Amino acid sequence: MKPFRLNRRALLRGAGAAIALPVLDAMLDDRGRLFGRADAQPRPLPVRLITFHWPNGTVMSRWLPTATGASYALTPCLQPLSGYTLPDGTAVPAMRGDVNVISGLENRVAALGVTGGGHIRALGAFANGMPMLATSAGGISLDQVAANAIGSATRFPSVPVAVQPAITENWDGATAAIFNNLSWAGPDRPVPADRDPAVLFNRLFAAQPSASAAERVARYRRSVIDYVQDDWTRLSTRIGRVDRARLDEHLSSIRELEREIALAGAACAAPSAPGDTQALSGDAFARLMMRLLVTAMRCDLTRFASFQLYHPGNLYPWLGPAWTNLERHGLSHRTDAEAVELNTVATQYNVAQFAYLCSLLKASLEGDGTMLDNALVYMTSEVGEGSTHTYDDLPILLAGKGGGRVVTGRHVRYAPGRSMSDLFVAMLNYAGVPTTRFGHDGMAGITQLEG
Amino acid sequence: MRAAPPNAPRRLGFQAFPRAAGAMAIGVLAACTGVIHDPEGAARPDASVAIPGPLLLRRLTNAEYDRTVRDLLGQTTRVSADFPADAKVFGFDDGAVSLTISPLHAERYRDAAERIGAEVTASPARMASVVGCDLTGTGRAPCLARFVGSFARRAYRRPLVDAEVQGLLHVADVAADDPDRNAAVALIIEAVLQSPSFLFRAEFGAPDPSRPGLYRLGRFDLASRLSYLLWGTTPDDALLDTAQAGTLDTAEGLAQTARTMLADARAHEGLAAFYGQWLRLYTLATVHRDATQYPSWSPELSASMSEETSRTVDDLVWRDGANFLDLLTGHATFLDGRLATLYGLPPPADGTWARTDLSDHPERGGLLTQASYLTLTAHSEGSMLIHRGKYVREVLLCETLPTPPANVPTIPAPVPGETDVERLERHRSDPSCNGCHRLMDPVGMGMHRYDSIGAFHLVDAQQRAISQAGTLYGYTPPDFDGPTELSRRLRDLPEVSQCVVRQVFRYAFGRAEVMTAAGDLPQIERTTERFRSSQYSFREMLVSLVASDAFRYGRPAGGGS
């Protein structure tokens, strides 16, 4: 199969504008090594990690393949992995060969959450593997572990993205913060997502001023940061320990800005801005956010990301007239024949979006392969069976070869008792972050992924 | 599950949340039918001493940020639109515990500060009002110094120490050779708007020898508390001058200042920021209805719904002699043409807002018959009775209902021919659901004659009569007939007037109240008593709260300094 190359038209098709795609290959020498950096040494391509969440689980009987290994048959929910065509005629190629279906892993800590219903308890542990707290996820998520360890190599240690507006109300009996954030630097330390394409674009690709103006901006910003740090120092000596921790977060955030100044200019040529995105349907909006994220990775602006595909309460009106007022969460709890069909369609939509993201990574050629070969995209929902909130068999897709070590194209099923955090241990090791334990019950990495 | 005996105390306790002790206390009922007795309170029978809560460090909420930069610098665009959203806890966006900060915040604060700095310095009119002196020639240095002194004092809500002034002037020096003579002003604005002293409301206080273990808030701490509570925005120069003069050092001075502030137009906006969250009116902006089912639905109608309740509350807050509890039972409301049509009432003469007497319309009168409440609780057709009951429990009675446990079955899909009430009864026939849903659904059933945009119907689509019989379990007598009787009952419940105070308390202090004798209960009881003795004057209740020990004192947070 010929990987389709992302081109200008493809990137922003549907958004009324075209992005000039910077080519990461331009940053590679002919052996796929990065050059053009101050510390240019031949080195392997970086492994990117993306966590990807869709809400409300699925219908496990329509999801789970019966066979394991490479010859499993695609189930109804997984059909989009065989390729499909977008409404505008763009073909999304088959991604099955680049994806592992992983089953049997458990989100055991969901049951230990201190409050909330079945969704929030599980989402509070998503990608961090710790029991949720009343106001927050319980621990650091794997993308942030990686960002802390090796994210300073890029301008943005991580770029969390979500496609739905943030909610402010409690939902499912707990703070909106848990629903709004997949990425956590620690308890009570959400790493908020970008949700607006124009704002995300400006953050990633804002026009670089001329060299002399850039120098002035950098000098001005440094002077402001120096002053703010002095203000922080004066304030922090006068307040209590708990408050000082919060103020410390502000200081570390300010230092992050300082680091960004140092790395500014390392970015690739800026694409052009997305046009008016108000008129985009929800699915096209999500794909636009994916293109921006993948472009950021191609430009090596970041290597770690989370991607949140909706809130459990969102509607999917673009799926057709029957979906206009169909509240997804309510639907996921129904088990009648009609609901099983509709829930299957909803899952297919989620898998199709995941496949699209993977196809963008695969269309980005780097070295001898594609960016997807140097990525791991972890996708699942907060629960397995949507109608009953099961935590014991998560419907996981893991795309990418993680730098070449992961053998893809298979269904890998684990016997009961393995935690999803065991997979996170393995993913972090593939990403170059030596890890032996993760979260509450990640005790050992999973090795079966290597074949 | 066992029902609470009718005469049992009905106080619902908050449990302190141990991890964030001092920063937040939030709790839920352990079970829906029980009364939580408070062991701490039982061990500390002396409930007469009000124990002030912790001193807090609160980041400005996004809404406070917008109002603050508007009042400081004339910024009229909603700059915070790009900031990460503030999650509400216990109903309000100003809970200290939820006001987190992240690298994305720092970026957005920087971008906002740079944008505001550029816009101010590009506008001669704004430069004149913000700076007001000549930045060229020999006048430049004194002009910058004057600007720093006045602007940063207002932005930090306190006088500056010398090092702070020098630091800001040093920042200005960096732009000394910039061809844009205003660049130094922009840079000072950027530095100030990114400083923790601006972004956080830090309360320092000082130990009070006469009150061991307590800190007395400083006069400028108090000015900020007053200002963000009553105005929803930053103190102005006059309030800072009042603080500097020592007026806020006494309870009497605080009360007098609060009265003056309540007479200022800013208080209307400030208190609307409170009740818009308390009554959840802001959620109306995101309500959608199917146009085929509700042809009269429009975003404008939704805005009118919010406006009706806002005008009702404003009337009860600002009209001298108004009894705030008329919110539940008032016989008048404010309508425009859209709402009058929805209610089946004659539209106001000029089509715009007018006070409308409801004496001849028994189906209307009071919050529980207003379209705002009836609509914002109707998330979906099938769950509106549940949420209408939940609102009464949580918003008006301050009960905290537990969340559905994990793995519960959901509300069943309707069976053809079944009414909503029958469907919910079927759901409650499962004992594990009934325990909590008996508290909610039967309350909402009292408002069953109002559809999901608040229109009134005596019969349903199949011409079956709609019952409005409801039950408020846990209160005596439990049964009621329709919203009018329920509202009259609620109005007389001490829990309801106390709940108004509790909601104000949450908003004022940025944390959940701790309903124990060793916590906030004594203060809440005192303030409630003042509310009652003032014939439920909302403003008098506020004044008594700001003059209280809870407002003036605090405990050092998190292990002290």
Side-chain angles (χ1 to χ4, degrees):
Chain A
M1 183 205 65
K2 178 173 172 269
F4 82 98
R5 271 236 187 213
L6 202 63
N7 61 33
R8 285 165 165 261
R9 284 185 307 282
L11 192 75
L12 261 215
R13 187 172 289 158
I19 278 186
L21 237 201
V23 181
L24 188 63
D25 281 345
M27 301 162 69
L28 303 172
D29 66 16
D30 56 4
R31 281 177 294 171
R33 297 171 306 199
L34 290 166
F35 64 71
R37 302 180 72 103
D39 58 345
Q41 291 288 326
R43 55 182 171 180
L45 286 160
V47 172
R48 289 75 164 196
L49 287 184
I50 304 175
T51 62
F52 186 117
H53 168 256
W54 90 83
N56 295 319
T58 183
V59 182
M60 287 304 279
S61 62
R62 298 291 189 95
W63 171 278
L64 201 58
T66 45
T68 57
S71 60
Y72 77 94
L74 288 178
T75 54
C77 287
L78 298 173
Q79 278 306 323
L81 294 180
S82 65
Y84 66 100
T85 305
L86 292 172
D88 67 1
T90 309
V92 177
M95 299 306 301
R96 177 196 157 122
D98 296 277
V99 172
N100 279 324
V101 180
I102 297 179
S103 63
L105 296 180
E106 303 178 14
N107 180 357
R108 284 189 296 241
V109 300
L112 304 177
V114 298
T115 182
H119 294 275
I120 198 77
R121 288 160 182 269
L123 194 46
F126 188 91
N128 70 73
M130 290 292 282
M132 62 168 278
L133 307 169
T135 57
S136 161
I140 183 168
S141 55
L142 80 143
D143 53 307
Q144 294 305 306
V145 171
N148 285 350
I150 52 178
S152 61
T154 58
R155 191 166 142 215
F156 301 100
S158 68
V159 176
V161 175
V163 302
Q164 74 285 2
I167 57 166
T168 57
E169 283 284 276
N170 279 14
W171 204 90
D172 202 26
T175 170
I178 293 177
F179 273 115
N180 288 338
N181 297 289
L182 297 181
S183 293
W184 292 84
D188 284 326
R189 295 179 63 200
V191 185
D194 268 290
R195 299 165 184 279
D196 179 323
V199 174
L200 177 59
F201 173 87
N202 284 335
R203 182 180 187 210
L204 297 171
F205 307 113
Q208 298 288 329
S210 64
S212 63
E215 183 281 326
R216 195 170 66 226
V217 168
R219 187 158 45 88
Y220 286 3
R221 284 182 170 174
R222 279 211 179 84
S223 77
V224 166
I225 288 171
D226 287 346
Y227 169 78
V228 170
Q229 292 193 355
D230 288 347
D231 189 45
W232 175 89
T233 305
R234 278 187 293 269
L235 205 54
S236 67
T237 57
R238 299 182 59 197
I239 58 177
R241 189 159 24 88
V242 169
D243 286 346
R244 202 169 300 143
R246 176 139 300 168
L247 216 49
D248 284 347
E249 287 167 31
H250 188 215
L251 181 68
S252 62
S253 299
I254 291 290
R255 291 199 168 128
E256 198 58 47
L257 291 181
E258 191 168 34
R259 209 184 53 79
E260 268 183 36
I261 294 175
L263 286 175
C268 55
S272 53
D276 177 20
T277 57
Q278 296 292 321
L280 288 183
S281 70
D283 56 334
F285 184 96
R287 290 193 292 271
L288 172 60
M289 294 299 266
M290 292 179 197
R291 289 194 293 274
L292 289 170
L293 176 60
V294 171
T295 308
M297 289 190 163
R298 285 182 64 112
C299 293
D300 208 27
L301 294 172
T302 192
R303 296 171 185 174
F304 307 113
S306 58
F307 194 94
Q308 195 175 25
L309 191 67
Y310 314 118
H311 171 269
N314 286 145
L315 307 179
Y316 285 25
W318 54 87
L319 289 182
W323 295 81
T324 308
N325 292 311
L326 194 58
E327 199 263 322
R328 273 286 296 121
H329 172 246
L331 173 67
S332 75
H333 279 287
R334 283 170 46 195
T335 52
D336 54 281
E338 181 199 32
V340 167
E341 290 307 322
L342 291 170
N343 280 316
T344 302
V345 170
T347 306
Q348 287 171 336
Y349 168 77
N350 297 326
V351 171
Q353 294 292 52
F354 169 79
Y356 180 77
L357 175 64
C358 296
S359 76
L360 297 177
L361 292 165
K362 186 161 180 170
S364 304
L365 304 180
E366 60 181 21
D368 297 331
T370 74
M371 201 195 293
L372 188 56
D373 297 332
N374 299 304
L376 287 171
V377 188
Y378 169 84
M379 184 218 203
T380 191
S381 186
E382 74 280 2
V383 294
E385 191 70 51
S387 60
T388 52
H389 300 149
T390 57
Y391 307 141
D392 59 349
D393 190 356
L394 291 176
I396 296 169
L397 297 179
L398 184 69
K401 296 188 168 58
R405 291 168 65 187
V406 175
V407 177
T408 53
R410 298 170 301 149
H411 171 209
V412 181
R413 179 154 185 84
Y414 290 92
R418 292 304 295 267
S419 165
M420 64 180 187
S421 289
D422 291 342
L423 176 58
F424 301 157
V425 170
M427 288 171 67
L428 285 167
N429 282 305
Y430 291 134
V433 183
T435 305
T436 53
R437 301 173 77 100
F438 187 91
H440 186 72
D441 58 6
M443 300 302 178
I446 276 168
T447 54
Q448 288 87 331
L449 298 176
E450 295 175 34
Chain B
M1 290 171 120
R2 188 177 56 83
N7 294 325
R10 293 187 296 253
R11 182 155 55 75
L12 302 168
F14 272 86
Q15 306 164 320
F17 182 61
R19 181 175 56 84
M24 179 191 180
I26 192 162
V28 296
L29 278 163
C32 289
T33 50
V35 171
I36 295 197
H37 284 286
D38 157 32
E40 228 187 325
R44 300 261 317 242
D46 178 11
S48 62
V49 182
I51 312 291
L55 297 172
L56 293 177
L57 181 75
R58 280 197 267 178
R59 173 171 65 69
L60 296 184
T61 67
N62 292 345
E64 288 169 347
Y65 182 100
D66 284 333
R67 290 191 290 264
T68 298
V69 295
R70 180 198 62 193
D71 294 344
L72 283 176
L73 294 164
Q75 187 72 24
T76 51
T77 51
R78 199 166 68 85
V79 188
S80 78
D82 297 341
F83 296 177
D86 293 329
K88 289 188 169 58
V89 287
F90 44 86
F92 297 99
D93 63 5
D94 69 341
V97 71
S98 74
L99 294 172
T100 54
I101 197 155
S102 66
L104 188 61
H105 280 96
E107 269 187 57
R108 298 286 150 85
Y109 286 144
R110 178 197 64 200
D111 295 347
E114 291 182 356
R115 189 159 80 218
I116 294 168
E119 288 178 14
V120 167
T121 52
S123 155
R126 287 171 74 179
M127 278 298 283
S129 79
V130 171
V131 181
C133 51
D134 186 8
L135 285 165
T136 58
T138 54
R140 180 176 173 86
C143 179
L144 282 173
R146 206 183 93 183
F147 168 63
V148 165
S150 67
F151 169 62
R153 176 184 185 250
R154 280 190 299 137
Y156 292 173
R157 306 170 282 269
R158 58 172 171 77
L160 273 64
V161 298
D162 269 353
E164 289 171 321
V165 175
Q166 294 312 316
L168 286 170
L169 290 173
H170 180 74
V171 168
D173 282 346
V174 175
D177 59 355
D178 195 300
D180 176 1
R181 301 307 286 155
N182 294 345
V185 169
L187 214 48
I188 289 167
I189 290 173
E190 288 169 29
V192 167
L193 296 189
Q194 293 180 72
S195 287
S197 291
F198 167 75
L199 291 168
F200 290 91
R201 292 164 54 194
E203 296 177 336
F204 301 114
D208 184 344
S210 69
R211 304 284 297 270
L214 291 186
Y215 276 41
R216 202 168 97 172
L217 268 75
R219 44 182 69 157
F220 295 101
D221 300 342
L222 289 167
S224 283
R225 272 197 177 188
L226 277 176
S227 185
Y228 281 96
L229 172 62
L230 302 179
W231 289 347
T233 186
T234 194
D236 59 7
D237 280 325
L239 179 56
L240 293 173
D241 291 344
T242 302
Q244 198 143 9
T247 308
L248 307 185
D249 296 355
T250 64
E252 298 71 31
L254 271 169
Q256 183 49 48
T257 305
R259 286 200 168 86
T260 308
M261 291 174 72
L262 285 169
D264 186 288
R266 276 168 288 190
H268 289 251
E269 182 185 51
L271 296 189
F274 159 71
Y275 69 70
Q277 296 188 71
W278 168 40
L279 300 175
R280 306 187 185 172
L281 299 180
Y282 67 93
T283 61
L284 282 166
T286 54
V287 168
H288 299 286
R289 290 289 181 267
D290 185 355
T292 53
Q293 199 176 354
Y294 296 105
S296 64
W297 176 259
S298 66
E300 291 76 23
L301 179 65
S302 168
S304 292
M305 292 175 177
S306 178
E307 182 75 16
E308 178 195 6
T309 303
S310 295
R311 285 175 182 256
T312 305
V313 178
D314 278 343
D315 177 58
L316 297 172
V317 170
W318 301 110
R319 181 163 47 83
D320 285 335
N323 183 322
F324 192 74
L325 299 182
D326 282 352
L327 177 63
L328 292 166
T329 51
H331 292 298
T333 191
F334 296 84
L335 298 179
D336 65 355
R338 280 189 202 90
L339 280 175
T341 306
L342 180 71
Y343 290 178
L345 294 172
D350 59 356
T352 182
W353 292 94
R355 188 186 175 91
T356 306
D357 184 74
L358 297 168
S359 302
D360 297 336
H361 301 278
E363 79 281 7
R364 299 287 172 187
L367 177 69
L368 298 185
T369 64
Q370 291 192 351
S372 59
Y373 157 75
L374 295 165
T375 300
L376 70 88
T377 48
H379 302 290
S380 67
E381 205 67 45
S383 67
M384 75 182 186
L385 299 185
I386 302 171
H387 286 282
R388 284 176 183 172
K390 190 163 185 269
Y391 185 103
V392 168
R393 295 275 177 185
E394 291 185 340
V395 174
L396 301 179
L397 287 161
C398 287
E399 296 178 8
T400 306
L401 297 168
T403 54
N407 299 345
V408 293
T410 186
I411 313 295
V415 171
E418 191 180 42
T419 66
D420 285 344
V421 169
E422 289 162 352
R423 188 171 62 100
L424 293 178
E425 277 168 357
R426 185 156 58 86
H427 175 236
R428 287 200 310 282
S429 66
D430 179 341
S432 70
C433 303
N434 186 47
C436 294
H437 277 272
R438 68 197 289 279
L439 297 180
M440 299 182 282
D441 313 3
V443 183
M445 279 154 53
M447 275 65 75
H448 198 197
R449 287 182 179 166
Y450 303 83
D451 67 19
S452 71
I453 61 171
F456 182 75
H457 307 277
L458 284 169
V459 294
D460 68 11
Q462 285 79 43
Q463 300 302 312
R464 295 173 296 193
I466 305 174
S467 158
Q468 61 171 358
T471 309
L472 182 66
Y473 283 111
Y475 298 84
T476 311
D479 295 330
F480 64 89
D481 183 52
T484 305
E485 187 178 358
L486 173 62
S487 298
R488 218 166 41 231
R489 209 77 75 63
L490 288 171
R491 180 193 169 106
D492 292 340
L493 283 175
E495 286 84 349
V496 168
S497 49
Q498 188 189 59
C499 182
V500 177
V501 172
R502 290 170 69 175
Q503 301 279 5
V504 170
F505 194 96
R506 292 173 191 179
Y507 180 72
F509 295 112
R511 61 184 177 85
E513 72 281 19
V514 180
M515 293 295 280
T516 66
D520 301 312
L521 184 59
Q523 183 61 57
I524 284 169
E525 287 180 338
R526 274 185 201 182
T527 309
T528 306
E529 173 53 27
R530 178 61 195 141
F531 195 26
R532 193 193 61 77
S533 68
S534 69
Q535 277 77 50
Y536 301 103
S537 160
F538 189 85
R539 282 178 287 159
E540 277 309 304
M541 180 263 285
L542 272 178
V543 168
S544 88
L545 184 66
V546 304
S548 72
D549 280 0
F551 201 83
R552 301 175 61 217
Y553 286 89
R555 286 180 284 106
S561 40

